[in-house]
């Protein structure tokens, strides 16, 4: 089996006779002389359009698929299919590629999808004077040849009948196609009118859509003037816009639902009215939240001032406690000095300290005998409570003595700094007093 450089497109599908009448082979001889080129003539029917990869092959009779070709040639595409000359085509097979045996072969036109579009009558390759040679064959072979010839004649008659039937079907299909084309032209004209109406309706809808968009833009500009805290309302408006655009896009694709779209437009207007009412409700809610915020801010400021007052009192009490503790320590030191001086005077006078009817209690004894409810002990206990030494311990403490001036100044400075700062009661964050609005916004954020 001879092949060229590029194999033709074939198919493994079994033989199908339904397409054999689209290409008709003409002037096919019963036999061709070996050693010479042969020309294959064929005609393209009206509704068959050849393509670049179509080819004509020589097949041995009895083939089942287009892969069983012996040799082939590419077809030549006509320049203008409308001309009558373009329907009559031919292709030439070189003698070198032709079969050398005396089997029966036939031409087949195969398109680029591997489907057979036409088949010729069978022919042979044998010498011209082969009919004059007397061949003596046995009776069995003669009968076998006759049976084979009858079978071939029967197949040929079936092929002719199929060809006539296919030609009739082709003419019927052409008439049906012509009728379908007329119906198609009618439908196309109707479609154009409908498209014109749809276009006009679409323009009207686009105008209404522009008006809706302008109204929506006005509403958006009004919403932008509101407080930045109304983000949820803006999200709802954007969602409504997307839903409205989606509905409009769906309405443009439905030509038969024009009245329904008008009703949906009315529903959209109602939805916009509801949005405005919701917007007013949200504005009222924002005002109520602002009033609550103002009330909470006042309460928070009162608590802050009370906290500052308590802190100031605690600082003052701590300072007084430190002062009294130091004074107590000083008095204990003076008491010890007086005890030692008293002991020295008694020993100088020749008196025994232990023989006295009432001894001066020591510092530890005095502490043990003090009232447990007194923080600094009883100032009237001991034998020296009426002596002159007790007069030295009685001093007046002004609000700020000279030795406590630094402490008082530090306390007043601390109180002054507290008045210049604002402390968050929730997260203890400190703000300067001049940033009162930021402080109030910060406290309000904790309540959200």
């Amino acid at each position: 089996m001879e092949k060229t450089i590029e194999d033709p497109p074939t198919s493994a599908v079994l033989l199908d006779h339904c397409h054999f009448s689209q290409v008709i082979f003409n002037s096919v001889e019963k036999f061709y002389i070996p050693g010479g080129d042969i020309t294959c003539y064929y005609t393209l029917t009206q509704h068959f359009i050849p393509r670049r990869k179509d080819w004509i092959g020589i097949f041995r009779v009895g083939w089942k698929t287009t892969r069983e070709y012996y040799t082939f040639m590419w077809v030549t595409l006509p320049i203008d299919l409308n001309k009558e000359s373009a329907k009559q085509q031919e292709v030439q097979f070189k003698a070198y590629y032709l079969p050398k045996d005396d089997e029966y072969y036939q031409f087949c036109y195969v398109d680029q999808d591997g489907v057979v579009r036409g088949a010729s009558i069978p022919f042979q390759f044998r010498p011209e004077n082969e009919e004059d040679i007397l061949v003596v064959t046995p009776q069995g072979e003669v009968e076998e040849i006759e049976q084979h010839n009858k079978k071939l004649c029967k197949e040929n008659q079936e092929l002719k009948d199929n060809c006539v039937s296919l030609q009739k079907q082709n003419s019927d299909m052409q008439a049906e196609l012509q009728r379908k084309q007329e119906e198609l032209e009618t439908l196309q004209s109707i479609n154009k009118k409908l498209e014109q109406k749809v276009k006009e309706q679409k323009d009207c809808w686009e105008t209404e859509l522009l008006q809706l968009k302008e109204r929506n833009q006005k509403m958006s500009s009004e919403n932008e003037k509101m407080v930045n805290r109304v983000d949820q309302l803006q999200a709802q408006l954007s969602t409504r816009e997307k839903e409205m655009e989606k509905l409009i896009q769906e309405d443009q694709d439905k030509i038969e639902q024009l009245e329904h779209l008008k009703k949906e437009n009315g529903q959209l207007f109602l939805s916009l009215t509801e949005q405005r009412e919701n917007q007013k409700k949200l504005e009222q809610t924002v005002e109520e939240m602002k009033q609550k915020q103002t009330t909470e801010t006042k309460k928070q400021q009162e608590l802050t001032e009370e906290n500052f007052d308590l802190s100031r009192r605690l600082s003052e009490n701590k300072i007084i406690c430190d002062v009294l503790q130091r004074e107590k320590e000083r008095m204990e030191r003076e008491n010890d000095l007086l005890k030692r001086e008293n002991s020295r005077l008694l020993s100088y006078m020749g008196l025994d300290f232990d023989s006295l009817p009432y001894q001066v209690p020591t510092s530890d004894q005095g502490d043990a005998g003090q009232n447990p409810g007194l923080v600094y002990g009883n100032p009237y206990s001991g034998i020296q409570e009426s002596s002159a030494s007790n007069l030295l311990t009685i001093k007046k403490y002004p609000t700020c003595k000279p030795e406590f001036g630094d402490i008082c100044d530090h306390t007043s400075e601390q109180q002054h700094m507290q008045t210049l700062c604002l402390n968050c009661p929730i997260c203890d964050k400190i703000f300067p007093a001049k940033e009162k609005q930021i402080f109030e916004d910060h406290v309000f954020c904790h309540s959200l």
Side-chain angles (χ1 to χ4, degrees):
M1 185 181 294
E2 300 293 339
K3 295 184 180 179
T4 58
I5 296 176
E6 183 180 0
D7 293 335
T10 59
S11 174
V13 180
L14 296 177
L15 181 64
D16 187 5
H17 299 281
C18 63
H19 303 292
F20 281 17
S21 62
Q22 295 183 357
V23 177
I24 300 172
F25 289 92
N26 306 319
S27 303
V28 179
E29 303 291 340
K30 293 183 178 179
F31 66 90
Y32 293 95
I33 301 173
D37 300 339
I38 62 174
T39 303
C40 174
Y41 300 95
Y42 60 94
T43 302
L44 303 176
T45 58
Q46 182 179 0
H47 298 288
F48 178 74
I49 300 175
R51 290 181 287 182
R52 187 173 60 87
K53 288 289 184 177
D54 293 354
W55 54 282
I56 295 177
I58 296 177
F59 291 79
R60 182 179 285 127
V61 174
W63 59 276
K64 298 297 182 182
T65 65
T66 55
R67 292 182 179 179
E68 301 176 16
Y69 66 93
Y70 185 87
T71 185
F72 78 97
M73 291 295 295
W74 298 108
V75 301
T76 303
L77 295 178
I79 299 175
D80 189 2
L81 291 174
N82 296 325
K83 293 182 178 180
E84 185 64 26
S85 60
K87 304 295 182 181
Q88 305 294 331
Q89 299 291 325
E90 64 181 37
V91 64
Q92 189 176 37
F93 289 89
K94 298 295 181 181
Y96 178 78
Y97 298 105
L98 297 176
K100 303 296 187 294
D101 54 15
D102 57 352
E103 296 289 337
Y104 282 92
Y105 293 88
Q106 64 181 151
F107 298 113
C108 291
Y109 188 101
V110 185
D111 62 8
Q112 68 178 15
D113 296 326
V115 179
V116 178
R117 300 296 180 176
S120 68
I121 61 174
F123 57 86
Q124 287 180 296
F125 293 94
R126 59 186 177 84
E128 185 176 3
N129 58 353
E130 187 176 359
E131 295 178 353
D132 300 332
I133 299 175
L134 180 62
V135 179
V136 178
T137 57
Q139 184 67 26
E141 292 183 2
V142 171
E143 292 177 356
E144 185 178 353
I145 291 172
E146 289 179 355
Q147 290 178 359
H148 185 65
N149 288 333
K150 289 179 180 180
K151 184 178 180 182
L152 290 176
C153 291
K154 185 178 180 181
E155 290 180 355
N156 189 14
Q157 185 63 34
E158 290 178 355
L159 289 174
K160 288 181 179 179
D161 294 339
N162 289 333
C163 183
V164 172
S165 176
L166 290 174
Q167 287 178 354
K168 183 178 180 181
Q169 291 179 4
N170 188 17
S171 61
D172 294 339
M173 290 176 66
Q174 289 179 0
E176 182 69 18
L177 180 62
Q178 183 67 26
R179 188 176 62 81
K180 294 291 184 182
Q181 287 180 350
E182 292 176 357
E183 292 179 357
L184 180 62
E185 290 176 357
T186 305
L187 290 174
Q188 286 179 351
S189 61
I190 295 172
N191 191 20
K192 287 182 180 179
K193 294 179 181 179
L194 290 175
E195 287 179 354
Q196 185 66 26
K197 291 181 180 180
V198 170
K199 186 177 180 181
E200 293 175 357
Q201 187 65 29
K202 184 179 178 181
D203 294 337
C204 180
W205 278 60
E206 288 179 352
T207 304
E208 293 179 358
L209 179 62
L210 290 174
Q211 293 177 357
L212 290 174
K213 287 184 176 179
E214 290 177 357
R215 294 179 183 177
N216 194 10
Q217 289 177 356
K218 291 180 181 179
M219 292 179 64
S220 299
S221 62
E222 291 176 359
N223 290 332
E224 289 177 356
K225 296 177 182 179
M226 295 176 62
V227 187
N228 294 329
R229 300 189 186 96
V230 195
D231 294 336
Q232 295 179 355
L233 179 60
Q234 291 179 352
Q236 291 178 359
L237 288 175
S238 62
T239 304
R240 292 294 185 181
E241 289 177 1
K242 291 179 181 179
E243 291 178 356
M244 183 172 63
E245 291 177 356
K246 183 178 179 180
L247 289 173
I248 293 173
Q249 185 65 29
E250 291 177 354
D251 293 336
Q252 290 177 353
D253 297 333
K254 297 177 181 179
I255 301 174
E256 297 178 356
Q257 297 180 358
L258 300 177
E259 296 297 329
H260 182 65
L261 291 174
K262 291 180 180 180
K263 294 180 181 179
E264 288 186 355
N265 282 332
Q267 293 177 358
L268 288 176
F269 284 120
L270 293 176
S271 177
L272 291 175
T273 306
E274 291 178 358
Q275 288 182 10
R276 291 176 181 174
E277 293 177 357
N278 292 331
Q279 180 181 352
K280 292 180 181 179
K281 291 180 180 179
L282 288 174
E283 289 178 354
Q284 294 176 0
T285 305
V286 169
E287 292 297 330
E288 291 176 358
M289 290 176 65
K290 285 183 177 180
Q291 292 177 2
K292 290 181 180 179
Q293 179 186 357
T294 305
T295 305
E296 293 295 331
T297 304
K298 290 181 180 179
K299 290 182 180 179
Q300 185 66 31
Q301 191 161 1
E302 291 176 358
L303 291 174
T304 305
E305 292 175 357
E306 185 178 354
N307 189 16
F308 289 160
D309 190 18
L310 292 174
S311 299
R312 180 179 59 78
R313 291 179 183 179
L314 181 60
S315 300
E316 291 177 357
N317 291 332
K318 187 175 180 181
I319 294 170
I320 293 171
C321 181
D322 293 337
V323 171
L324 293 176
Q325 184 67 26
R326 287 194 295 270
E327 184 65 21
K328 177 184 175 238
E329 292 175 356
R330 187 185 63 77
M331 290 175 66
E332 288 177 353
R333 288 194 298 272
E334 290 181 358
N335 194 13
D336 292 337
L337 290 174
L338 290 173
K339 286 178 183 180
R340 288 194 293 271
E341 182 66 21
N342 192 14
S343 299
R344 188 181 64 80
L345 290 175
L346 289 173
S347 60
Y348 178 77
M349 294 173 62
L351 299 175
D352 188 3
F353 182 76
D354 295 332
S355 62
L356 292 175
Y358 186 80
Q359 296 180 358
V360 179
T362 61
S363 176
D364 295 336
Q365 293 173 351
D367 293 338
Q370 289 176 357
N371 190 351
L374 299 176
V375 179
Y376 301 103
N378 188 359
Y380 303 103
S381 64
I383 59 173
Q384 300 295 334
E385 58 185 359
S386 60
S387 62
S389 61
N390 286 335
L391 297 174
L392 298 175
T393 63
I394 301 172
K395 296 181 180 180
K396 295 181 181 180
Y397 297 101
T399 303
C400 288
K401 294 177 67 178
E403 59 267 23
F404 303 133
D406 295 336
I407 298 173
C408 295
D409 293 339
H410 177 71
T411 303
S412 61
E413 182 180 358
Q414 185 178 3
Q415 294 175 358
H416 180 66
M417 289 297 294
Q418 289 178 351
T419 57
L420 294 178
C421 297
L422 299 175
N423 188 11
C424 179
I426 298 174
C427 64
D428 295 334
K429 188 173 181 180
I430 299 174
F431 295 88
K434 61 183 180 180
E435 298 180 358
K436 184 177 179 181
Q437 183 62 37
I438 299 176
F439 169 74
E440 292 177 356
D441 293 340
H442 175 76
V443 174
F444 176 73
C445 289
H446 284 298
S447 64
L448 291 179

